[in-house]
């Protein structure tokens, strides 16, 4: 019983450490090298003042804050933003009862934010990589529409879901059974039918028809938000022909669209840039995973960026690798992407693609900030301090607790805590 109590106490201490917050109303970070990821660029020996979760001043004439933090020249960036993963929905991939990202019956209305677990052990581990917020995506079911994304911060708080039903996810391309043509055809017909119904409903209203218009179904309501440009259509697709078909739909229905994967995007980079469609991609794909991705290359992030495409980097593999996002950006730098573009690809570009109030350091912006020990893209660099919506959080994780537990000298067997 004594051992159990000691172990319980250590768990409570870890939980408190993982959510350590500065409760001061305001603080100022001084003497920092601030990468704003805005037109202001990089500011040397700069000061950033935060109050009530927002940046209220940059390089003010007079510093007024409850707490002053001397950065000693360290690099301050916006918090990194993960995307298109199942953080908080999958705890252990091999354990079916810990997976909530998919369901056979899932359709366009699938809202996985209802199952989000802010106390997932993967969240504090991801904070160690400088991640402060994340776009969580469903895996869906049999339907081509996989559900809707949501935005969550990595505070570990129960109210950490910032935006639910943020965008609609669709999966296109090669089919194990059947033809990709049918999926593209169904998608086009879905938008055409919905557009016609909206016109008819408007005509009925204008004519003051006494007959009540039929209430649109929940699925139709989501499609209507896409037609109104109120949320993005996020499309998984790799082959150039599929991407071109999607661009045609974007033009026809004025859709807000985001491509994910897009291995063949380099073949039509000019068209994607002209259409202003962001591309969410991984930086480490250098071999084809299928006949749809024959043009996968380590240089694609740089090639697309140089062509004027807004590139947002994500991590391939499962959710547990989100911590490595900055290393993926570092590999993109090694293959031609500039450092400024690399930082934007894991901050501002993600925020732009998914309409998130984060990803930059600007007046009035959400104070998701990371102070680094050195260059964020170097392997040995660590997070010195981190703030999510203006509150400081620890990067202490379960892995750290286990390391300490099993490396601490003790007369007891390794399986116990002294």
């Amino acid at each position: 019983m004594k051992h159990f109590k000691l172990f319980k106490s250590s768990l409570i201490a870890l939980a408190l450490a993982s959510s350590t917050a500065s409760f001061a109303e305001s603080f100022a970070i001084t003497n920092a090298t601030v990468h704003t990821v805005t037109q202001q660029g990089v500011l040397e020996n700069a000061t950033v003042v935060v109050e009530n979760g927002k940046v209220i001043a940059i390089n003010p004439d007079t510093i007024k804050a409850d707490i002053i933090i001397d950065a000693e020249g360290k690099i301050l960036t916006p918090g990194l933003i993960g995307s298109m993963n199942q953080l908080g929905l999958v705890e252990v991939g091999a354990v079916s009862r810990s997976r909530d990202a998919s369901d056979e019956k899932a359709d366009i209305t699938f809202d996985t934010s209802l199952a989000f677990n802010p106390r997932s052990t993967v969240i504090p581990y991801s904070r160690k990589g400088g991640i402060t917020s994340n776009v969580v995506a469903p895996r869906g079911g049999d339907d081509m529409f996989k559900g809707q994304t949501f935005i969550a911060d990595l505070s570990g708080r129960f109210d950490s879901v910032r935006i639910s039903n943020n965008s609609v996810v669709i999966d296109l391309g090669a089919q194990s059974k059947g033809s990709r043509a049918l999926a593209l055809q169904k998608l086009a017909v879905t938008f055409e039918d919905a557009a016609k119904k909206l016109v008819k409903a408007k005509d009925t209203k204008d004519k003051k028809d006494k007959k009540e218009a039929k209430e649109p179904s929940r699925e139709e309501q989501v499609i209507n938000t896409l037609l109104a440009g109120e949320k993005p259509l996020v499309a998984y697709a790799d082959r150039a022909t599929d991407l071109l078909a999607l661009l045609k739909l974007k033009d026809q229905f004025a859709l807000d669209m985001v491509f994910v994967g897009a291995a063949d995007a380099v073949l039509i980079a000019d068209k994607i840039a002209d259409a202003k469609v962001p591309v969410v991609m991984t930086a480490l794909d250098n071999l084809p995973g299928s006949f749809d991705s024959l043009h996968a290359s380590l240089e694609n992030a740089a090639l697309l960026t140089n062509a004027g495409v807004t590139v947002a980097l994500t991590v391939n593999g499962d959710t547990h690798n989100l911590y490595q996002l900055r290393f993926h950006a570092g590999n993109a730098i090694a293959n031609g992407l500039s450092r400024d573009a690399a930082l934007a690809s894991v901050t501002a570009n993600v925020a732009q693609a998914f309409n998130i109030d984060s990803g930059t350091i600007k007046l009035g912006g959400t104070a998701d900030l990371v102070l680094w020990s050195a260059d964020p893209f170097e392997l040995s660099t660590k997070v010195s301090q981190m703030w999510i919506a203006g509150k400081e959080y620890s990067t202490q994780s379960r892995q750290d607790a286990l390391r300490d537990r099993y490396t601490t000298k003790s007369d007891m067997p390794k399986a116990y805590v002294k």
Side-chain angles (χ1 to χ4, degrees), residues 64-333:
K64 295 181 180 179
D66 297 318
I67 292 178
I68 306 294
I69 300 165
D70 186 354
E72 300 178 336
K74 293 177 183 176
I75 293 174
L76 182 72
T77 71
L80 308 191
I81 307 174
S83 63
M84 304 312 292
N85 56 61
Q86 289 74 51
L87 184 68
L89 298 180
V90 177
E91 192 66 24
V92 181
V95 179
S96 60
R97 286 181 176 269
S98 74
R99 302 194 304 257
D100 290 303
S102 62
D103 193 290
E104 287 182 356
K105 298 178 181 178
D107 59 17
I108 196 171
T109 65
F110 188 35
D111 178 11
T112 49
S113 69
L114 299 172
F116 180 66
N117 177 21
R119 296 305 176 94
S120 166
T121 58
V122 188
I123 287 176
Y125 178 67
S126 298
R127 286 202 300 259
K128 296 175 80 69
I131 316 290
T132 57
S133 57
N134 187 54
V135 182
V136 187
R139 290 195 183 276
D142 295 334
D143 195 86
M144 66 176 173
F145 287 106
K146 301 305 177 185
Q148 300 188 55
T149 65
F150 64 92
I151 313 300
D153 65 44
L154 270 63
S155 64
R157 295 166 54 94
F158 288 114
D159 60 353
S160 56
V161 174
R162 292 184 178 180
I163 310 173
S164 297
N165 299 319
N166 169 260
S167 64
V168 175
V169 179
I170 188 168
D171 192 2
L172 299 171
Q175 305 288 327
S176 299
K177 295 181 180 180
S179 167
R180 78 182 71 221
L182 186 58
L184 289 168
Q185 182 180 349
K186 283 184 176 179
L187 182 61
V189 168
T190 297
F191 285 123
E192 288 169 5
D193 290 348
K196 288 177 183 177
K197 284 187 178 181
L198 287 173
V199 171
K200 186 176 181 181
K202 185 177 184 302
D203 289 343
T204 300
K205 185 179 179 181
D206 290 344
K207 293 175 183 176
K208 297 182 180 179
D209 198 325
K210 293 180 180 179
K211 258 189 176 181
E212 288 188 11
K214 185 179 178 182
E215 183 74 19
S217 66
R218 294 185 185 277
E219 292 81 0
E220 289 173 333
Q221 289 176 36
V222 177
I223 293 293
N224 290 346
T225 63
L226 293 173
L227 290 173
E230 295 173 3
K231 62 179 66 174
L233 175 66
V234 180
Y236 282 91
D238 281 311
R239 203 166 83 174
T241 55
D242 296 334
L243 301 177
L244 288 170
L246 287 165
L247 289 180
K248 185 177 179 181
L249 287 177
K250 172 184 168 54
D251 184 58
Q252 183 178 355
F253 297 104
L255 300 173
D256 182 3
M257 190 172 286
V258 178
F259 290 159
V260 183
D264 266 5
V266 289
L267 300 180
I268 55 169
D270 56 337
K271 291 181 172 56
I272 296 173
D274 290 343
K276 294 182 171 53
V277 175
V279 172
V280 179
M281 61 174 292
T282 62
L284 298 186
D285 284 346
N286 66 334
L287 291 173
S290 69
F291 286 108
D292 279 12
S293 56
L294 296 178
H295 294 85
S297 169
L298 295 175
E299 298 176 349
N300 280 359
L303 291 173
L304 289 173
T305 298
N306 292 339
V309 177
T310 299
V311 171
L313 292 180
T314 186
V315 174
N316 50 355
D318 66 23
T319 297
H320 298 74
N321 289 326
L322 178 57
Y323 161 82
Q324 299 176 8
L325 180 60
R326 66 189 180 97
F327 303 143
H328 285 232
N331 275 275
I333 293 170

